[in-house]
Amino acid sequence: MKAKSIIIPLLTAVSLSACDLVVQGPEKGSLTICFRDPSITKGADIPDTNDFILSIADAGGGLLYKGSYGAGPEKLEVAPGSYAVRVVSREFEEPLFDAPQYGDEQIVLVESGKTTAVHLFCSQMNAGVRLKVGETFAVNYPGGTLYMRSPSGPLVYTYGEMRTGYFKPGPIWLELSCDGETRTLFSRELEAGGILTMKLNSGYSVLEESGVAARYGEGITMELDTARNWTYGEYTDSGSGGTPGSGMSEAYSVGQARAMAAESPGDVWVYGYIVGGDCTSSSCSFSAPFKSATNMVIAAKSSGTDKESCLSVQLQKGDIRDALNLVDNPSNLGRQVFLKGDLVPKYYGIPGIQNLTGYRLE
């Protein structure tokens, strides 16, 4: 009997200890999602936001919800952590006519026991391009076809096309195919939310400046129908055609140059904006003062500060380094530049241009 009286209390003690070891999970948090007032291009026709596609994913990419915004949960209980919330009016993977994409994407942090309110904006996420072909252009290039190309695919414009083509933000370039020959007319960088209108003539040329077209010679006229920050540009149509990168009129944009760098084309022209320098394999500086005169980086926009979107530039000893380097020429920061040299897949960790033989500083 004594042995039993000892064993039973011991078993009870072990049982209680096991209960004490049960670990409770962290208290869940919650997400609430709503739209702010639309912030879009004036006059745009926004679809009903209830029909937008809403997706909510955890940090590992696992989908918690994907469906219409109108049918989505008013409040979603989730474990603490970060979540990607995305809402779009339509899916958009390749260039299409009359296909603006509106929506928003946000990364939010949900804390244990707390409600995180996500306020979505409704802005245009892709970019539109309209072409207006003048009578003289159509007469000089009868039967021609215009191909607006981008990394995600091409879009064909006929001379009478009145619709707006939509593209993902990034580089585009226009090719003219006529009489069995194809040549590149110009290239541009598109920003989300913009609508670019370009008018093609064979007797005029234009310098884009703050949305105002100024005729001053032979070439193609271009008009901007947007208040966004578009790059300055000029194209003169000599009628002879040119290979992409063969001259300043056919210069690669930064986006195109980065895409072409793997092929290492030599003796090509590239244009962009000087945005920084002092490159290392892992970083670069985007603000003065600068310490190294041997390199710099250019971007598609003068406001660029993301190294992974830039093109690194080698500045060898000589007149070009003397004119361009940011140590001796700090006022060059933000200026547009045309460079002629060899594209390389890697220079200081990103695609670059080396062995410069020519430049023009705007």
Side-chain angles (χ1 to χ4, degrees), residues 40 48 72 110 128 151 153 170 172 188 217 223 250 258 287 291 301 303 333 340:
I40 57 168
D48 185 347
V110 177
I172 59 167
R188 291 292 180 272
E223 301 170 348
E250 298 82 19
R258 285 177 57 87
S287 58
K291 300 178 181 179
K301 299 188 296 182
S303 58
L333 191 67
K340 186 181 184 182

Side-chain angles (χ1 to χ4, degrees), residues 54-72:
L54 172 66
S55 61
I56 305 169
D58 58 27
L63 276 175
L64 280 66
Y65 175 81
K66 184 170 184 179
S68 69
Y69 170 78

Side-chain angles (χ1 to χ4, degrees), residues 45-276:
D45 184 15
I46 302 298
D48 185 347
T49 54
N50 283 313
D51 296 329
F52 278 34
I53 304 167
L54 172 66
S55 61
I56 305 169
D58 58 27
L63 276 175
L64 280 66
Y65 175 81
K66 184 170 184 179
S68 69
Y69 170 78
E74 292 185 4
K75 190 173 185 179
L76 183 65
E77 290 192 353
V78 296
S82 61
Y83 294 86
V85 178
R86 182 174 185 264
V87 63
V88 292
S89 59
R90 66 189 303 150
E91 298 293 356
F92 186 83
E93 297 299 330
E94 60 184 7
L96 293 170
F97 283 110
D98 292 341
Q101 182 193 51
Y102 300 101
D104 192 14
E105 295 178 287
Q106 296 185 29
I107 302 295
V108 297
L109 180 64
V110 177
E111 298 182 42
S112 177
K114 295 184 179 180
T115 297
T116 299
V118 183
H119 299 285
L120 296 168
F121 292 87
C122 184
S123 57
Q124 184 180 309
M125 302 174 75
N126 53 10
V129 180
R130 294 185 294 176
L131 294 183
K132 295 184 177 181
V133 179
E135 183 178 353
T136 54
F137 188 93
V139 168
N140 287 344
Y141 302 104
T145 303
L146 297 165
Y147 296 88
M148 188 69 76
R149 299 193 180 275
S150 73
S152 58
L155 200 57
V156 178
Y157 287 77
T158 63
Y159 285 178
E161 182 61 70
M162 302 297 292
R163 296 173 296 175
T164 300
Y166 285 86
F167 300 80
K168 291 183 177 182
I172 59 167
W173 55 99
L174 183 67
E175 293 180 354
L176 170 65
S177 180
C178 187
D179 295 330
E181 296 183 358
T182 299
R183 63 187 180 98
T184 299
L185 301 184
F186 58 81
S187 61
R188 291 292 180 272
E189 290 277 339
L190 297 181
E191 294 181 346
I195 302 293
L196 172 65
T197 300
M198 304 194 73
K199 184 177 179 182
L200 277 58
N201 286 313
S202 61
Y204 305 100
S205 183
V206 142
L207 180 67
E208 299 168 17
E209 186 167 3
S210 302
V212 178
R215 184 186 307 175
Y216 71 96
E218 296 269 330
I220 289 180
T221 63
M222 293 165 277
E223 301 170 348
L224 289 176
D225 183 23
T226 178
R228 300 283 181 169
N229 181 29
W230 294 95
T231 58
Y232 293 76
E234 175 186 345
Y235 176 78
T236 301
D237 179 18
S238 63
S240 60
T243 303
S246 62
M248 281 184 283
S249 295
E250 298 82 19
Y252 289 120
S253 66
V254 170
Q256 286 178 291
R258 285 177 57 87
M260 292 294 298
E263 301 178 19
S264 301
D267 205 30
V268 297
W269 282 94
V270 176
Y271 73 93
Y273 289 84
I274 301 173
V275 295

